[in-house]
Amino acid sequence: MTTDTELQTIELGDIGGEIRILDQTLLPFQVEHRTLASWEEAAEAIKVMRVRGAPLIGATAACGMALAIRSDPSDAAMFKAADGLRKTRPTAVNLQWAVERCLSILACTKPEHRLEVAWKEAALIIAEDKAANRAIGEYGVPLIKALAEPLGGEPVRILTHCNAGWLATTHLGTATAPIYLAHAQGIPVHVLVDETRPRSQGAALTAWELERAGVPCDVIADNAGGLLMQRGEVHMVITGADRVAANGDVCNKIGTYLKALAARESGVPFCVSVPTSTIDPAMADGFGIPIEDRGPDEVLHATGLDPEGTVRTIRTAAEGVSALNPAFDITPAGMVTTLITERGLIKPQHAGHIVG
Amino acid sequence: MTTDTELQTIELGDIGGEIRILDQTLLPFQVEHRTLASWEEAAEAIKVMRVRGAPLIGATAACGMALAIRSDPSDAAMFKAADGLRKTRPTAVNLQWAVERCLSILACTKPEHRLEVAWKEAALIIAEDKAANRAIGEYGVPLIKALAEPLGGEPVRILTHCNAGWLATTHLGTATAPIYLAHAQGIPVHVLVDETRPRSQGAALTAWELERAGVPCDVIADNAGGLLMQRGEVHMVITGADRVAANGDVCNKIGTYLKALAARESGVPFCVSVPTSTIDPAMADGFGIPIEDRGPDEVLHATGLDPEGTVRTIRTAAEGVSALNPAFDITPAGMVTTLITERGLIKPQHAGHIVG
């Protein structure tokens, strides 16, 4: 389903060679790649969300460090790039994690050897992410299978929020990994995809991914999940996360918390798929995580295709109206049934602290 | 604030004269009126949501009955129109209520006197709705005032969902009536307006109303209310309703339930403003209320203004993707702090049944 090399979210060439991303701001209407020529271009790609999703942000930051070294392997240039990359987005911890990881190995490497080390570290981060996603998928499949058994051939109906698919990672996705593997194994699934305003990553990215992979799905308004759970039409929720605190609180795309409340109320399992690089042992609980404010424009506008096939951005609110746009929220650990990680399943409800 | 006669949602002329509506499908980008020439045009206006909001649907249905009588006062024509109007939308009980009310008085009136009776009944329903909204406002203001006192001049932050403003009624609105009256009395308020996908009535209608009236407000994504309540940035929720069951369960625009869950979790009062015509004593609980399914197109598209000022509808999801679109959900009575009606405040949490 993601074996098409034309559609890798990020590609790292040979040492010192080309680094290319899939520009997600144009999806699903245009599939275009873009070469990152400098760390500044990597930072811009993260900032304007040409790449997005915690794991892919981490991988892109590592590539940004490699690009910085390529143009200037000095300490000064390296620390400047690390700073610039770190500041692009505040919430996803994978960004900080990847920059720190690169810095810690580069700092004890002589400048003349840094290019090779930086390139190899970026490649390793990408390879590890691919392996982590597959392991997440394998740990997650039995959860779906257990729900499928009493349904006698009816699909397991899984609600997901935002995009934690292969577009958010380097392969298979986090939330989608168990879904893709279950589908490949013939377990019937049907995915309910939250539109995920204001940027509509669910409608634009997740539904596009699932449709391409032949996984049955429907887009729903972000408002609809509660009713569908009340009616028993959702068997499971799986989302990704941008950061998980040491106590298991989950910081994810705004609106996740509302679905967790509804899932708890209706007894629907609420699962969060994350590589362990998304867990932040230094953050005691979720309410300390900085929540990015992305400004009013995203809320007041929508982007899509007009009937003639032109991509347009329109203003959906009345002229002169303002907006608030916090981009993430916190789902307390007690509402999270299972964290699906590449190292196995964690039950935050039953653990005082998941790490630390 | 709604004294401008140019902007009445519905206007009924002298007996047998013109009936005119404000076409809400074009708002906030175009302000256009439309004459309803027949009951079929009234039914169409309800169906395609040129008029919407439970009280205004009721008023328009009464006008539809008057138009039916104007063209043919016979029993056969009258019952046919009643049937046609009843079928336009399933959820708002005011529609059924208004049609039954007109029928019951017309059925015992001779055909030659029906035109006058039908016209006067429609006028009475409109006049009663105006009075009910004002009374709802007056009963609601003390709730806002009580929250304002400890804030020492900081605004009371009120979250609302969809549009239960004057556009949903004949005057002042239901959810907005206490807000408009509080604002007029100098109580500082700041309204957080849920965008309300898929039709965006919050961004397009409620924010437009509030802006025109000079009431401070911000549009937020439907996903954002939970975080804002977690942060203590919402002091109160007020919504309208399309139908309230005898036990106090509230059926309102999809997504209302998710906000009620978050309000309960954060200890935020959750109030629902309704005229008593929205209470359905025949419906024992909310889960028996028919939920309208409005089809996939609204979810997959958005409408707004492009930078050149042209109103456009764009597809926001990938080609080939499908959608589900239930239009209402049920908030159990136990989550509703207060029903604000024209007859006073009702506490569904503490009553076995609010009616019956």
Side-chain angles (χ1 to χ4, degrees), chain B:
Chain B
M1 60 220 53
T2 54
T3 49
D4 190 348
T5 51
E6 194 191 21
L7 288 177
Q8 293 292 310
T9 51
I10 192 159
E11 290 167 275
L12 186 69
D14 296 333
I15 291 167
E18 193 184 42
I19 297 179
R20 214 168 72 125
I21 58 163
L22 176 60
D23 186 347
Q24 299 190 29
T25 58
L26 306 171
L27 289 177
F29 309 114
Q30 293 167 39
V31 176
E32 277 184 29
H33 293 87
R34 178 181 273 251
T35 297
L36 300 179
S38 63
W39 76 263
E40 290 91 342
E41 286 189 15
E44 189 263 3
I46 296 170
K47 204 172 177 64
V48 307
M49 297 175 67
R50 299 189 198 285
V51 290
R52 21 70 50 210
L56 183 58
I57 289 172
T60 308
C63 291
M65 288 302 295
L67 290 166
I69 297 297
R70 186 176 69 182
S71 64
D72 181 349
S74 72
D75 277 15
M78 178 175 81
F79 285 111
K80 190 183 162 199
D83 253 20
L85 286 161
R86 271 197 210 101
K87 283 179 188 152
T88 48
R89 296 194 68 193
T91 303
V93 76
N94 305 58
L95 172 61
Q96 315 301 327
W97 168 87
V99 171
E100 290 316 312
R101 177 167 157 173
C102 294
L103 263 191
S104 68
I105 189 165
L106 290 167
C108 54
T109 302
K110 285 184 189 161
E112 60 267 33
H113 299 137
R114 281 179 180 163
L115 180 63
E116 185 178 347
V117 168
W119 224 263
K120 286 188 171 166
E121 196 62 21
L124 189 61
I125 284 175
I126 291 171
E128 286 177 8
D129 186 61
K130 289 187 183 186
N133 295 339
R134 175 155 295 273
I136 286 168
E138 285 164 0
Y139 280 115
V141 165
L143 302 179
I144 299 175
K145 203 170 176 182
L147 292 167
E149 276 158 15
L151 294 172
E154 288 297 304
V156 180
R157 293 170 67 89
I158 304 171
L159 185 145
T160 191
H161 191 68
C162 197
N163 174 267
W166 62 261
L167 286 166
T169 68
T170 59
H171 183 58
L172 274 179
T174 52
T176 53
I179 296 169
Y180 284 134
L181 295 191
H183 178 69
Q185 292 176 25
I187 301 169
V189 292
H190 188 105
V191 185
L192 300 162
V193 181
D194 277 351
E195 177 184 27
T196 322
R197 284 282 292 159
R199 285 184 73 98
S200 302
Q201 294 97 327
L205 304 181
T206 306
W208 179 74
E209 268 196 27
L210 294 169
E211 185 73 13
R212 280 174 52 91
V215 178
C217 66
D218 280 300
V219 178
I220 57 173
D222 298 307
N223 286 319
L227 175 77
L228 298 176
M229 290 192 226
Q230 285 177 316
R231 284 179 169 172
E233 294 174 8
V234 178
H235 300 116
M236 182 185 202
V237 179
I238 313 183
T239 74
D242 291 78
R243 194 180 315 201
V244 176
N247 72 339
D249 288 354
V250 167
C251 180
N252 191 43
K253 180 55 37 69
I254 192 84
T256 302
Y257 165 61
L258 293 168
K259 297 306 146 62
L261 283 165
R264 185 184 63 180
E265 194 73 9
S266 294
V268 174
F270 187 89
C271 302
V272 178
S273 286
V274 283
T276 49
S277 54
T278 299
I279 301 174
D280 182 1
M283 187 61 66
D285 70 64
F287 293 94
I289 298 172
I291 303 287
E292 180 176 7
D293 185 327
R294 293 191 53 84
D297 280 355
E298 292 177 350
V299 177
L300 302 171
H301 294 82
T303 298
L305 218 56
D306 75 11
E308 286 74 43
T310 305
V311 178
R312 294 186 184 273
T313 295
I314 55 172
R315 187 176 170 99
T316 50
E319 207 53 50
V321 166
S322 60
L324 299 179
N325 187 15
F328 302 91
D329 63 21
I330 307 299
T331 298
M335 296 184 191
V336 179
T337 315
T338 309
L339 286 173
I340 308 171
T341 81
E342 80 280 16
R343 300 199 201 160
L345 307 179
I346 300 173
K347 303 272 181 188
Q349 295 185 66
H350 304 128
H353 272 67
I354 61 166
V355 291

Side-chain angles (χ1 to χ4, degrees), chain A residues 127-146:
Chain A
E128 287 177 7
D129 185 62
K130 289 187 183 187
N133 295 340
R134 176 156 295 275
I136 285 168
E138 285 164 359
Y139 280 115
V141 165
L143 302 179
I144 299 176
K145 204 171 175 180

Side-chain angles (χ1 to χ4, degrees), chain A residues 285-306:
Chain A
D285 69 65
F287 293 94
I289 298 172
I291 303 287
E292 181 177 5
D293 185 327
R294 293 191 54 82
D297 280 355
E298 294 178 349
V299 177
L300 301 172
H301 294 81
T303 299
L305 218 56
D306 75 11

